[in-house]
Amino acid sequence: MTKNYLEIPEELYNKLSDYAENDQLSIRLENQQILLENPKINHTNKQNLALHYFIVPSLASGIIALLIFLSTNHPQIAFTGSRHLSVASLSIILSTLFGFFGFIWTYLRKSCDLSKSKFKIFRETLTLSVAYTSISFAVQIIFWYIIGKTFSGVTFDPFTAGFLVLVFVGIIFYFLISAALSITLPNLILLLFTTFIGGILVSMATNNQKDWWQHNFSFLGTGEATQHWQFNITLICSALILLTITDFLFAEFSKSSLYNYKFKIIRVFYILIALLIAFVGIFPAQSWTMPIHNNSAFGLVAVVLIMIIFLKWLVPTISKEFLALSWTALIALILSAVAFMGIHYLSLTVFEIIAFAIAFTWLVMFINSLRGIIQEGNEWQVKLLQK
């Protein structure tokens, strides 16, 4: 009888032995990838857990909604609108409330690295809970706005309305539970982009009538802006997400043989950048906080410039393409500064947007480059044998 073998390097064998159960591993194909896992792992665990966890909160939300609708003594409940409690309003409130605490409970139970300090666990869990719940909240607002325009004036009896709340809360809760069970570095990077870009765009849109662009970009976070808390909270949440990404990235990097003191320096830079982004949001560009705000904003750009200048020394194995891109970003930052402060070609608002956009984009791209280096260090050549 022909036997088939897989010849692997000793280093890979040692790593796989940590995951093996009685020298046994399960292998499966998924998305054109070959995955080796502990055979005790149930591949449907995440989906089953998400289904299991969302049933009770969904039923509870349906019962709560039904009791509230019955207590109003209205024979018909509006699908959307603010005339009285509607399916839309209760769905948003209950899904956000249940989703926030459900995400925290699920993430702590299934996805948290217990080797981290309690403070990091708390910061990480709270940050991700707020970010994902905020995104689900924003998506629901847009969804119900469209539904309100499409089904204007539609009403239901309290029992049907309560059932609809159960369904919509269940959908959102399932999304949040699934997200809590599937936290990965690429997902966190997407979350950072979504939070930052989405929050900034909302702040711009809500201040359109005040012609914020005639002042400066930081005007969005001042007391004169409409709902300035959106801009400031966006920066603070983005900073916390960046800290979480840094924890995930360097926790993975620390297991690699490539990890050295230079990468520890990069980690310090990212922590410093996250703090500076948070300071820009915590200290608005007004009254006594103006110096802290300005120094934090300029400090952010300065740290990015330093990282680009010393990039080749910090990461000798960095690709030539990314190195060229980094120097292009450096030149663009310098030219925009000259255009603003030197020849006054750019306004303060345009300069701030350009500088922040370049710095932010480069930071995210650098994270992806570091992740690529980690993946290269975890690649081995294997050989198929048949005897």
Side-chain angles (χ1 to χ4, degrees):
M1 180 179 179
T2 303
K3 292 186 176 182
N4 302 315
Y5 298 89
L6 189 65
E7 187 177 83
I8 63 176
E10 184 176 356
E11 183 183 0
L12 176 57
Y13 173 82
N14 294 333
K15 288 184 177 294
L16 290 178
S17 62
D18 295 334
Y19 297 95
E21 180 71 25
N22 297 324
D23 295 329
Q24 295 290 321
L25 287 169
S26 64
I27 188 169
R28 62 189 174 97
L29 299 176
E30 183 178 300
N31 298 327
Q32 298 183 338
Q33 292 181 331
I34 299 175
L35 302 177
L36 283 170
E37 295 178 332
N38 186 310
K40 284 190 173 181
I41 295 178
N42 185 350
H43 308 315
T44 59
N45 265 354
K46 289 184 178 180
Q47 184 175 354
N48 288 343
L49 287 172
L51 287 170
H52 176 71
Y53 290 159
F54 99 107
I55 291 175
V56 174
S58 300
L59 289 174
S61 65
I63 294 172
I64 292 172
L66 176 60
L67 293 175
I68 292 175
F69 291 148
L70 291 174
S71 67
T72 60
N73 294 321
H74 287 288
Q76 292 294 111
I77 304 298
F79 195 27
T80 61
S82 57
R83 183 164 55 91
H84 48 75
L85 285 177
S86 63
V87 172
S89 60
L90 268 188
S91 295
I92 293 173
I93 293 171
L94 292 175
S95 63
T96 301
L97 186 62
F98 279 115
F100 177 75
F101 291 105
F103 188 101
I104 291 176
W105 184 79
T106 306
Y107 186 74
L108 286 175
R109 185 184 176 104
K110 297 296 178 183
S111 305
C112 202
D113 184 358
L114 297 179
S115 64
K116 297 178 182 178
S117 67
K118 290 183 179 180
F119 174 75
K120 282 187 178 180
I121 292 174
F122 173 78
R123 187 200 71 209
E124 185 178 292
T125 305
L126 187 61
T127 298
L128 296 176
S129 300
V130 170
Y132 275 101
T133 306
S134 298
I135 290 173
S136 70
F137 178 81
V139 169
Q140 288 182 86
I141 293 295
I142 296 172
F143 170 79
W144 285 113
Y145 176 80
I146 296 173
I147 292 297
K149 294 294 184 181
T150 307
F151 299 99
S152 178
V154 173
T155 61
F156 301 97
D157 64 89
F159 291 93
T160 303
F163 176 75
L164 289 174
V165 171
L166 182 153
V167 172
F168 287 116
V169 171
I171 293 172
I172 297 300
F173 198 80
Y174 179 77
F175 160 75
L176 290 172
I177 294 301
S178 299
L181 293 169
S182 307
I183 297 296
T184 61
L185 191 57
N187 290 344
L188 289 176
I189 293 173
L190 179 61
L191 176 65
L192 177 61
F193 258 112
T194 305
T195 302
F196 183 78
I197 302 300
I200 296 298
L201 289 178
V202 169
S203 298
M204 290 179 177
T206 54
N207 286 278
N208 184 47
Q209 294 181 344
K210 291 198 171 185
D211 295 333
W212 63 269
W213 47 270
Q214 294 184 7
H215 302 272
N216 52 56
F217 189 55
S218 298
F219 172 83
L220 297 172
T222 64
E224 299 178 35
T226 302
Q227 296 180 336
H228 60 277
W229 61 270
Q230 294 176 344
F231 180 80
N232 297 326
I233 290 296
T234 294
L235 293 178
I236 295 170
C237 284
S238 297
L240 291 172
I241 295 172
L242 184 59
L243 279 178
T244 302
I245 290 174
T246 303
D247 290 340
F248 269 72
L249 176 66
F250 287 95
E252 188 177 354
F253 226 137
S254 62
K255 301 174 185 177
S256 170
S257 59
L258 301 173
Y259 192 66
N260 55 34
Y261 74 96
K262 293 182 180 180
F263 288 105
K264 293 181 181 179
I265 294 175
I266 296 174
R267 184 173 192 168
V268 171
F269 276 139
Y270 266 101
I271 293 173
L272 178 59
I273 287 169
L275 291 175
L276 290 172
I277 293 175
F279 283 169
V280 172
I282 294 172
F283 302 101
Q286 57 190 29
S287 64
W288 65 272
T289 61
M290 180 71 80
I292 303 176
H293 177 91
N294 289 340
N295 289 330
S296 298
F298 283 113
L300 169 63
V301 177
V303 173
V304 172
L305 290 175
I306 293 172
M307 291 178 69
I308 294 175
I309 293 171
F310 292 98
L311 181 60
K312 187 61 179 177
W313 176 78
L314 290 169
V315 191
T317 57
I318 200 74
S319 66
K320 293 181 180 179
E321 293 78 10
F322 185 75
L323 192 60
L325 179 66
S326 300
W327 282 102
T328 302
L330 176 68
I331 294 171
L333 284 171
I334 294 174
L335 289 177
S336 61
V338 172
F340 166 60
M341 294 183 287
I343 61 177
H344 305 292
Y345 176 74
L346 296 178
S347 66
L348 176 58
T349 303
V350 175
F351 169 67
E352 286 181 328
I353 293 175
I354 290 175
F356 216 94
I358 292 174
F360 181 78
T361 304
W362 183 85
L363 287 170
V364 175
M365 294 181 69
F366 188 34
I367 289 173
N368 276 322
S369 295
L370 292 175
R371 182 168 163 264
I373 293 174
I374 296 174
Q375 291 176 337
E376 289 175 4
N378 289 331
E379 291 183 2
W380 294 272
Q381 297 297 319
V382 300
K383 186 185 293 184
L384 294 173
L385 300 174
Q386 192 176 71
K387 293 183 180 179

